[in-house]
Amino acid sequence: MKYTKEQLIEMVKPYFKKDKVELLYVTEDNQVFYPNCKVQASSHARVYKLRAPFEITRADVVVEKTKQVIEKPKKADKVDSDKEALIEIAKEMGVKVDKRMSVENIEKLIKEKEDARE
Amino acid sequence: MADVRTTAFTRVIKDQLFAGNEFLLKSVSHDAFVNDKTVEIPISGTLPDVVEDRTLYPIAVQERTDTRQTYDLIEFSLGAIKLAEKDKKELSYPKASSILRQHMLSLKNSIALRGLYNWGGAGLIANSGQIVLTTGTAAANITPPGGTGNRNGIDLADMAAAALKLDEDNVPSDGRYMTMPSRMYWNFVEANKAELLNLDYNKSLSNGDISDGVVSKVYGFKIIPRSYTLVYADAATPTIKAVGAATATTDHWAAVGWQQDEVARALGSTKVYRNVDDATYQGDLYSATQRFNNTQMRTDGVGIVTIVQDS
């Protein structure tokens, strides 16, 4: 199976978890090579009649990540981040909350605490 | 008067070690075609149905459509090494012959890895039983290089599943071989030694088998351990990794089993190039090439089975 460079960027992200990895050579069939194996990458592409290996850098992966952040978050993601922020606020106020509680219930407990303080 | 001690220089150099590639010879020889560009293997198409007590005539006539498997020869080329004039004169050991020997072994090693990739790679489909996942006891020390965590060892049941797949595909029961990563093999032997000794797993080997690197015979497979075989990426259907490809912590070792009439190879001899007393480099230059490629004989991979680690 052959993949595009954009698809491969998504697929090789785990390899960049290692701090030292800055560049990868990736062939169309999703075979990933470190720079010290560039020769093997080229050989693999030639022998199996594939395009020359793509050079995928850490910057390519970061750009992709940035794009994701800029994109409007999904509703579920937004709810999760709202809830996490509320849990943080509640903890700072000394309100006991649980991750399994709904956003509305957490908000209610925070309001009760605020009312009690007043 | 104090003794005068001198430094003794041995004339034997300890060369780099490489794993063997004798397993490649357990295949149909296409060595005669090694200087051709492409080798083509015809594969017969389907036959008409057999009818008992035929009543309808004339019989419908059809043509048999044959297919083919092809592979291109590859020239493996090793970079040049310079032997300086100084080294030729001053060293105690024959560096030139060491370089030549190492060139040949290095090419053999690259060829062996390419050969395993070709036999174990294309055409294998997990759900048709050609990839058997290991089900033995999990162990931490049997991962491929860079791997972490536990992997299931090979169990006798996994060997039986591999043999069963070949049986079901009507593959001949003689001439079955399996190249297994040494870490997998010795874990397998340790975990199953009681049963293996009952099978007399290494008592029926001929001298020829032993010189070919075969160390035991289990459920019809002659097993050839090797320090490095194939690595597969972890997935529901494991995917093979190319020679030299980066490994991940979740990767798995794989053993490759085959029947010798269902795989082919064209293996040439090593050609060594020498520039003796080269004026530009003021020394000797050496490099080498070797032509090779191999293939599964059928496009659907019948005759090959791979045992891949699971976790």
Side-chain angles (χ1 to χ4, degrees), chain B residues 93-146:
Chain B
Y93 58 89
K95 191 169 178 178
S97 60
S98 169
I99 289 171
L100 292 174
R101 200 165 49 245
Q102 293 280 278
H103 270 57
M104 288 181 197
L105 290 173
S106 177
L107 283 170
K108 271 187 179 177
N109 188 50
S110 298
I111 283 169
L113 294 175
R114 174 65 63 205
L116 272 174
Y117 182 78
N118 287 341
W119 284 353
L124 296 177
I125 304 158
N127 59 17
S128 71
Q130 279 177 287
I131 294 181
V132 174
L133 299 178
T134 56
T135 59
T137 308
N141 61 348
I142 53 173
T143 59

Side-chain angles (χ1 to χ4, degrees), chain B residues 154 178-181 184 229-230 253-257 305-309:
Chain B
I154 293 189
M178 184 172 285
T179 299
M180 202 180 279
M184 267 175 111
T229 56
L230 288 178
W253 274 126
V256 186
V305 67
T306 303
I307 301 180
V308 181
Q309 287 179 331

Side-chain angles (χ1 to χ4, degrees), chain A residues 15 18 29 31-34 37 40 43-44 47-49, chain B residues 72 74 114 117-118 240-248:
Chain A
Y15 289 92
K18 289 181 186 171
D29 58 348
Q31 295 291 348
V32 184
F33 299 83
Y34 291 128
C37 291
Q40 282 93 333
S43 295
H44 179 78
V47 168
Y48 295 97
K49 297 182 172 57
Chain B
D72 291 345
I74 306 170
R114 174 65 63 205
Y117 182 78
N118 287 341
I240 193 168
K241 290 207 158 185
V243 179
T247 54

Side-chain angles (χ1 to χ4, degrees), chain B residues 13-280:
Chain B
I13 181 171
K14 293 301 290 176
D15 286 330
Q16 277 188 58
L17 298 173
F18 292 91
N21 69 349
E22 295 81 6
F23 70 90
L24 284 174
L25 302 179
K26 301 301 168 192
S27 56
V28 174
S29 173
H30 287 172
D31 293 351
F33 313 130
V34 79
N35 292 325
D36 291 303
K37 186 177 183 299
T38 303
V39 180
E40 184 176 307
I41 305 158
I43 301 168
S44 68
T46 51
L47 291 169
D49 292 335
V50 174
V51 176
E52 296 178 16
D53 291 336
R54 188 184 295 276
T55 53
L56 293 175
Y57 292 94
I59 301 168
V61 177
Q62 63 186 73
E63 280 190 29
R64 194 183 75 176
T65 308
D66 295 342
T67 55
R68 59 189 178 170
Q69 168 77 303
T70 62
Y71 64 98
D72 291 345
L73 268 293
I74 306 170
E75 188 166 273
F76 288 74
S77 164
L78 194 64
I81 282 191
K82 173 190 165 185
L83 177 60
E85 199 61 32
K86 190 174 184 289
D87 286 350
K88 284 160 67 178
K89 292 199 165 73
E90 295 178 4
L91 291 178
S92 66
Y93 58 89
K95 191 169 178 178
S97 60
S98 169
I99 289 171
L100 292 174
R101 200 165 49 245
Q102 293 280 278
H103 270 57
M104 288 181 197
L105 290 173
S106 177
L107 283 170
K108 271 187 179 177
N109 188 50
S110 298
I111 283 169
L113 294 175
R114 174 65 63 205
L116 272 174
Y117 182 78
N118 287 341
W119 284 353
L124 296 177
I125 304 158
N127 59 17
S128 71
Q130 279 177 287
I131 294 181
V132 174
L133 299 178
T134 56
T135 59
T137 308
N141 61 348
I142 53 173
T143 59
T148 56
N150 287 355
R151 301 288 186 279
N152 296 342
I154 293 189
D155 195 75
L156 276 169
D158 304 328
M159 296 295 294
L164 172 66
K165 178 60 189 161
L166 297 186
D167 289 350
E168 285 183 335
D169 287 338
N170 298 319
V171 175
S173 56
D174 65 326
R176 293 182 182 182
Y177 290 85
M178 184 172 285
T179 299
M180 202 180 279
S182 299
R183 277 187 181 272
M184 267 175 111
Y185 175 71
W186 290 111
N187 174 269
F188 166 67
V189 170
E190 273 302 302
N192 298 283
K193 58 189 168 193
E195 292 88 343
L196 288 173
L197 287 169
N198 281 339
L199 293 171
D200 282 348
Y201 75 112
N202 60 1
K203 288 183 181 167
S204 59
L205 301 179
S206 67
N207 288 339
D209 290 333
I210 293 165
S211 66
D212 288 339
V214 176
V215 294
S216 61
K217 189 174 179 183
V218 179
Y219 290 171
F221 287 103
K222 290 180 179 178
I223 298 178
I224 304 173
R226 199 171 190 281
S227 59
Y228 200 101
T229 56
L230 288 178
V231 175
Y232 273 69
D234 183 47
T237 303
T239 50
I240 193 168
K241 290 207 158 185
V243 179
T247 54
T249 54
T250 52
D251 284 348
H252 301 300
W253 274 126
V256 186
W258 69 93
Q259 202 280 336
Q260 63 182 6
D261 298 324
E262 299 301 330
V263 289
R265 97 284 169 170
L267 178 64
S269 54
T270 310
K271 179 170 174 60
V272 177
Y273 301 83
R274 273 183 291 207
N275 269 10
V276 180
D277 294 339
D278 187 281
T280 313

